[in-house]
Amino acid sequence: MKALDGKQETKSNRATEYAEQVFETVKARNPHEPEFLQAVKEIIDSLIPVFEKNPKYMDYSILDRMVEPDRIISFRVPWVDDLGNVQVNRGFRVQFNNAIGPYKGGLRFHPSVNNSIIKFLGFEQIFKNSLTGQPIGGAKGGSDFDPKGKSELEIMRFTQSFMTELSKHIGPDTDVPAGDIGVGAREIGFMFGQFKKMRSRFEPGVLTGKGIDFGGSLARTEATGYGVVYFIQEMLQHNDLDLKDKTVVISGSGNVSIYAIEKAQQLGANVIACSDSDGFIVDTDGICLETVKRLKETGDERICEYVKEHSNAHYSDNCTDIWDIPCDIALPCATQNELDEDAARKLIANNVKAIGEGANMPCTHAAVDLFLEEGVLFAPGKAANAGGVAVSALEMAQNSSKISWTFEEVDFKLQEIMKDIYQKSMGSAEEYGTSGNLVAGANIAGFLKVADAMIAQGVV
Ligand code: NDP
């Protein structure tokens, strides 16, 4: 028995040392990329039990290879504004890993975009895409272009210039971008038009999130937000709880937030708050989604306008204070690191029961640790917000087979995928000794499929 214990300790030491050594190398190579390091650290910490049990992943240096993108493309995006001035932005595409399918991941247009942001998103996308069970690899891209306050013509000129360069690197079997912050159906439409013009071919499979009239999938717009709520519902039900009559707070008021609000309300929850980057609104009567959609989806307004139409509602101009509001369920659906340790403490003090990450990495490492320590049900973004990319993969499947499924068909498939992701993540957590920890479970389940494919394909 002693000998066995000794062997176990040696395996454990080797796995921990390997994980530490990989992280030290990543830190040394990417010194000014805090978000990327944060995303890598979370994955590496979760994988130690996998390396202990299956040393082959260390022997094949799988992690060393996974943390290094296949390639990073960075380019100039010149465009002319409405006053005739030439403007220059930066464009990025990080093609991280295509072991299980063509690169796939959204494009973000936001002034904060830089290498670190795109690499953290692209790295997370590898594991998320693997979890969906669909044949898609991991990528992400975008630009530091700020769409706020730009005219439609400026947005069109910018996206056309962006696509002129990006088109050299993408294709239905190569890399298939989609939307993200600042990139919705309008921008995807402009990019699709430019791609089509440059190739003189109608290739719908090159982008997802397209308009329904030219190859888009029904339910893609709703998929991420609905998927988050399906995942939360599954998690609650496995813990003998239900969404019905629960008080819910959702940050943001963009694509993910709006459709998370819609599905939560359909399932009987009372959603009382949402936000934008200026502030948040509280409406204890329940958020009027029609107003939010008019202000933020079809219009280009600020969320503070909501209180002009709903006299019972209140507006506060500090968006991070949204987590002070007592609620049963909190869904951060806006942006990375929007919910920190202090916010987590307040939510816990107010007896929050479950957290679901609609955004990518919205909770800081310390906040996640606190939720897990305190036994709050926690659904990590990689699993909970995978519905968007899953339906994007369904859009690709419809495009390549030239068919269109109904809204109900896609929505049903989405529900099945979200249940499957929940079960896979729980199963992996159980198998690797972290029962109930969906952060570890999702990371492990996502990793294993990609790692096995990489081993099977040799050192490339
Ligand atoms: P949108 O651009 O549609 O919306 C983003 C929303 O978040 C806006 O309402 C924006 O407000 C708000 N916001 C930004 N920063 C803050 C902040 N610090 N506090 C409060 N609100 C803020 O983006 P999406 O809804 O598409 O994306 C949201 C998140 O979900 C991102 O992390 C994205 O990566 C992730 N995601 C998106 C998917 C998708 O299919 N769209 C798929 C999977 C993940 P304002 O109007 O002021 O800018």
Side-chain angles (χ1 to χ4, degrees), residues 99-119:
I100 61 168
Y103 302 110
K104 180 93 198 85
L107 297 169
R108 176 177 290 192
F109 291 170
H110 192 271
S112 64
V113 163
N114 56 30
N115 257 315
S116 177
I117 299 280
I118 298 299
K119 279 167 69 182

Side-chain angles (χ1 to χ4, degrees), residues 108 148 180 182 220 224 253-256 277 296 302 334 360:
R108 176 177 290 192
K148 274 207 191 97
D180 190 75
R220 173 59 188 93
T224 310
S253 47
N255 172 263
V256 180
S277 55
K296 305 291 289 186
R302 308 310 298 157
N360 285 310

Side-chain angles (χ1 to χ4, degrees), residues 404-422:
S404 301
W405 291 320
T406 63
F407 186 97
E408 289 71 26
E409 282 173 311
V410 179
D411 189 36
F412 178 75
K413 289 177 200 293
L414 171 64
Q415 291 179 50
E416 293 300 299
I417 290 171
M418 298 317 294
K419 277 187 199 159
D420 183 58
I421 295 175
Y422 178 80

Side-chain angles (χ1 to χ4, degrees), residues 26-157:
V26 177
K27 270 202 313 200
R29 283 187 174 158
N30 307 278
H32 306 298
E33 300 186 354
E35 294 86 2
F36 177 53
L37 295 177
Q38 184 183 344
V40 171
K41 178 88 175 86
E42 185 207 285
I43 291 277
I44 290 187
D45 286 351
S46 305
L47 294 178
I48 293 173
V50 178
F51 301 138
E52 282 170 9
K53 206 167 171 176
N54 306 305
K56 68 175 177 183
Y57 297 120
M58 295 188 277
D59 301 338
Y60 283 96
S61 299
I62 291 296
L63 192 56
D64 311 60
R65 288 152 64 188
M66 255 188 210
V67 295
E68 201 58 41
D70 286 353
R71 65 191 63 78
I72 300 177
I73 300 148
S74 168
F75 51 94
R76 181 180 66 235
V77 190
W79 56 282
V80 180
D81 68 20
D82 286 346
L83 299 173
N85 300 314
V86 176
Q87 304 283 347
V88 178
N89 284 96
R90 275 192 165 173
F92 302 88
R93 186 72 180 166
V94 179
Q95 296 177 334
F96 235 109
N97 189 301
N98 64 354
I100 61 168
Y103 302 110
K104 180 93 198 85
L107 297 169
R108 176 177 290 192
F109 291 170
H110 192 271
S112 64
V113 163
N114 56 30
N115 257 315
S116 177
I117 299 280
I118 298 299
K119 279 167 69 182
F120 113 67
L121 290 163
F123 184 66
E124 296 233 308
Q125 201 82 42
I126 304 171
F127 303 87
K128 181 191 306 193
N129 292 4
S130 164
L131 276 174
T132 65
Q134 303 292 313
I136 41 179
K140 200 79 186 188
S143 171
D144 58 1
F145 173 76
D146 186 358
K148 274 207 191 97
K150 302 289 190 300
S151 71
E152 184 155 291
L153 278 178
E154 288 178 319
I155 287 178
M156 185 172 73
R157 287 194 291 272

Side-chain angles (χ1 to χ4, degrees), residues 108-110 120-121 125 128 140 148 178-183 220-221 223-225 251-258 275-279 296 300-303 319-320 322 332-336 338 357-362 381 385-389 392:
R108 176 177 290 192
F109 291 170
H110 192 271
F120 113 67
L121 290 163
Q125 201 82 42
K128 181 191 306 193
K140 200 79 186 188
K148 274 207 191 97
D180 190 75
I181 291 179
V183 178
R220 173 59 188 93
T221 305
T224 310
S251 64
S253 47
N255 172 263
V256 180
S257 318
I258 283 176
S275 60
D276 62 18
S277 55
D278 290 338
K296 305 291 289 186
D300 191 14
E301 306 277 349
R302 308 310 298 157
I303 201 67
C319 59
T320 50
I322 193 170
C333 292
T335 195
Q336 63 274 357
E338 56 166 307
E357 292 190 317
N360 285 310
M361 211 168 73
N385 72 32
V389 75
S392 274

